[in-house]
Amino acid sequence: MTIPSIEPERIPKMSRKFVLRVLKWYRPQTVRLLIAVFFILLAVAFTVAQPLILRDVVDRATAGGDFSQLAIAAALLVLLPVLSSGLNVAQNRILGTASASVTFNLRNAVYIHLQHLPYRMYVHAPPGEINARLSGDVQQTTNIIQRAFPEGLTSLLRLAGTLAVMFSLEWRLSLAAMLAVPLLGWVARKRNYAARKMAINAMQANAALGLQVAETTQPNGILSVRLFNRLQHEIERYLLLNRQVRDLEVAQNNLSANIIVLTSGIAAIGTALVYAVGGLLVLGNAFSIGTVIAFVAYLSGLYAALQILSSLPQGTAMALVGYQRIFELLDLETENLGPMRSDLPARAHGELRFENVTFQFNDEVPLRETARPWSVRLMGQSAQPSLTDNAANALENISFSLNPGQMLAIVGPSGAGKSTIFNLIPRLYDPDQGKIALDGQDLRDLPLEWLRQQISLVSQGIYIAPGTLGDNLRYARPEATDAELRSALEAANLAEWVESLPHGLETFLGQAGARLSGGERQRLAIARALLKNTPILLLDEATSHLDSINESLLQDALFRVRRERATLVIAHRLSTVHDADEILVLERGKIIERGVHKSLLAHSGLYARLYEKQFISNEKD
Ligand code: ATP
């Protein structure tokens, strides 16, 4: 199997700043790490002492020496391994806690940061990317504390201790043992390079597989699969991705197995050399058999330590890639929360003003994608062109004003920029030029949380959280009383429907509100908006899914609540905006006509044409 080459930018540069930033996450664990270091030191000392005791046992036994001394040495040979494994268990538990605490803190920081990122980031980030970073990458980082730190330190200390004892015992044997080391180093380098490539590719392949599942098992995804008859296509796609994951797993395993064979072979040659040189020296009475046996024991420890040390850079590199990708996310700029202000009333008056507002979507992709390039490459498709390549302004010179008790309607063809106007009001985006003001104050001078508290937006993509009907209503205002819930439901013409449900407000709505009809969903969204009870109400095609009887009932309800607030309405069905105080007709981001229904009809422009068309088609109905 050929492994695609990894992009060099995926391997983090070990700058001082980056290392210090990684270390910062371990600072709260200093005490735990110090205790673990102490345990590791003791465990290594016990391990390094064992071959020396073994030598003593062998030499005493062969020389027929003192039995009681022999018994003590033999007892030590049993005791020391038990002690060092006890210490290892303790050290493992301490580091396990430290590792869990680091990932706990990382996850919290990433999630809190995510919640503060601007809305546009979610619109443009590749799907699945955020989740990949929050779960996969955070998991990768645990390698540092669970493997690299204890195994690296243990092996380094063991290496240093073993070498010191070996050279102090017999320098000629030590030199013979060292002959195999450069070979081991060469194998490790080759292995690390191949393993790192495979690990990064495995990470991408797994992410692509996860994305495929996520996209094709949510209600809307599965609906497309079924209705476009793409079942076979999706299954084949999954099989292909899954095969890649399997092949990479097999390749990773094979690599490890080959390496074990190779390094064991080299270690065996080293050991044979020691036996040969040692045997000759024993024959020449240069030292005892016990020394040769101790040497061989040291040698296996030495090679094991070298092997562990040589495998660590790969896992560490993966953990560092994880950190790099987490930092990339943490470095994304958060939403500007606006100034802190204590001079604002809890409820705004509700006077809204757009002054020459111009806006263009910026299509930058905030996070490099893990998953998609892989699947795109597999499916032989090219990357998607950007939505806003050579884009014109989404909005140009938009001006209007609206007072409490008034209703402003925005109409116009699809894609004219109507929803974009709405998105600017709760500052999901900020205008590039011009100003939007609430009660005479630029939105940017108001605290964001306060501003959003003044606005209810019923959008086209209505979010229904997993949970019950009551939970979804209370999402708008957790402290709402049952009576308030009921009156919002009545206003949205939903009360009867809720009463007819066996579990009433406790009815579970399923994933993304899958059990609701389009009209029920819209009415629930309106009830939620009314419950929030804000001075600004934005309705984006809020009644488009309703039949005409329900729509007119709801229009009556909305007519009543309009008196206390400024209402902006986007509507395709022009009959619903007859009585608006002003109607803006938008085309390609510009206001091309404005006025009240009658004057617009008299003007015989786009509005009149649209109205006529709808009127005629209604007549036909
Ligand atoms: P409709 O009546 O179909 O809902 P609309 O008038 O509400 O349309 P908008 O949703 O405001 O239209 O979109 C205006 C234009 O901006 C469209 O051309 C759309 O493709 C583009 N657009 C919308 N959102 C984005 C985005 N996040 N990034 C880039 N372009 C966008």
Side-chain angles (χ1 to χ4, degrees), residues 123-124 361 363 387-388 394 412-420 429 460 572:
V123 177
H124 294 286
F361 284 104
D363 205 17
L387 255 184
T388 47
S414 182
K418 304 180 294 291
S419 303
T420 307
Y429 297 91
Q460 293 178 34
H572 277 300

Side-chain angles (χ1 to χ4, degrees), residues 84-96:
S84 66
S85 37
L87 284 166
N88 276 333
V89 170
Q91 168 256 103
N92 247 315
R93 289 175 67 147
I94 293 170
L95 289 181

Side-chain angles (χ1 to χ4, degrees), residues 316-571:
T316 315
M318 293 308 299
L320 293 177
V321 170
Y323 267 111
Q324 189 191 37
R325 288 164 43 79
I326 291 166
F327 292 162
E328 232 171 62
L329 201 149
L330 289 176
D331 285 341
L332 291 176
E333 220 175 298
T334 52
E335 239 180 354
N336 179 354
L337 295 178
M340 299 272 284
R341 290 182 54 174
S342 53
D343 58 325
L344 296 166
R347 187 183 168 91
H349 180 57
E351 196 188 304
L352 189 69
R353 229 179 132 75
F354 270 55
E355 289 173 23
N356 292 318
V357 168
T358 295
F359 171 74
Q360 187 171 29
F361 284 104
N362 164 5
D363 205 17
E364 105 243 40
V365 177
L367 293 172
R368 240 178 315 135
E369 193 165 31
T370 329
R372 183 71 61 173
W374 181 267
S375 49
V376 165
R377 216 183 309 146
L378 284 176
M379 304 314 292
Q381 297 160 352
S382 58
Q384 294 271 318
S386 145
L387 255 184
T388 47
D389 278 347
N390 309 317
N393 286 333
L395 294 175
E396 215 167 301
N397 268 323
I398 305 291
S399 297
F400 62 82
S401 66
L402 180 67
N403 290 321
Q406 288 186 330
M407 169 167 127
L408 180 103
I410 307 173
V411 302
S414 182
K418 304 180 294 291
S419 303
T420 307
I421 293 186
F422 273 25
N423 287 344
L424 295 182
I425 300 170
R427 288 193 60 204
L428 298 178
Y429 297 91
D430 279 329
D432 298 316
Q433 286 163 41
K435 177 175 135 178
I436 307 172
L438 176 62
D439 295 347
Q441 306 200 49
D442 193 324
L443 298 188
R444 280 172 277 216
D445 296 333
L446 295 169
L448 197 61
E449 198 181 341
W450 180 86
L451 171 70
R452 290 181 182 163
Q453 201 51 47
Q454 313 305 322
I455 300 165
S456 296
L457 167 60
V458 179
S459 63
Q460 293 178 34
I462 297 159
Y463 173 67
I464 308 289
T468 65
L469 196 58
D471 294 340
N472 268 282
L473 278 169
R474 283 211 167 84
Y475 200 75
R477 198 147 62 87
E479 73 282 5
T481 62
D482 284 353
E484 284 169 324
L485 286 192
R486 212 167 311 118
S487 72
L489 285 170
E490 264 159 27
N493 200 22
L494 261 187
E496 245 177 69
W497 175 73
V498 173
E499 270 159 34
S500 75
L501 296 168
H503 299 289
L505 283 172
E506 297 306 309
T507 306
F508 192 73
L509 297 182
Q511 195 186 342
R515 68 145 293 170
L516 295 176
S517 77
E520 286 159 0
R521 188 186 298 253
Q522 282 194 329
R523 280 179 287 167
L524 176 60
I526 291 173
R528 198 153 62 172
L530 295 179
L531 193 67
K532 195 174 167 193
N533 187 19
T534 57
I536 310 265
L537 178 61
L538 311 176
L539 302 170
D540 187 348
E541 293 285 339
T543 55
S544 60
H545 286 291
L546 301 182
D547 59 76
S548 43
I549 295 176
N550 261 311
E551 179 165 43
S552 74
L553 279 172
L554 214 64
Q555 289 298 338
D556 289 346
L558 289 173
F559 185 78
R560 283 195 300 278
V561 300
R562 257 158 54 189
R563 272 181 240 133
E564 303 131 36
R565 64 201 83 219
T567 311
L568 259 88
V569 175
I570 293 176

Side-chain angles (χ1 to χ4, degrees), residues 269-303:
I269 295 172
T271 314
L273 267 173
V274 168
Y275 274 129
V277 178
L280 285 175
L281 291 173
V282 171
L283 285 180
N285 273 339
F287 51 73
S288 66
I289 295 182
T291 307
V292 179
I293 290 178
F295 239 91
V296 173
Y298 277 123
L299 206 57
S300 65
L302 180 84
Y303 293 151

Side-chain angles (χ1 to χ4, degrees), residues 2 30 43 165 171 221 319 394 483 610 617:
T2 54
T30 313
V165 178
W171 67 271
L610 289 174
S617 66

Side-chain angles (χ1 to χ4, degrees), residues 243-279:
R243 197 170 307 135
Q244 296 285 346
V245 171
R246 181 203 59 192
D247 289 349
L248 279 164
E249 271 172 17
V250 171
Q252 278 176 313
N253 270 336
N254 286 349
L255 183 71
S256 304
N258 293 345
I259 293 298
I260 289 173
V261 172
L262 212 62
T263 47
S264 313
I266 297 170
I269 295 172
T271 314
L273 267 173
V274 168
Y275 274 129
V277 178

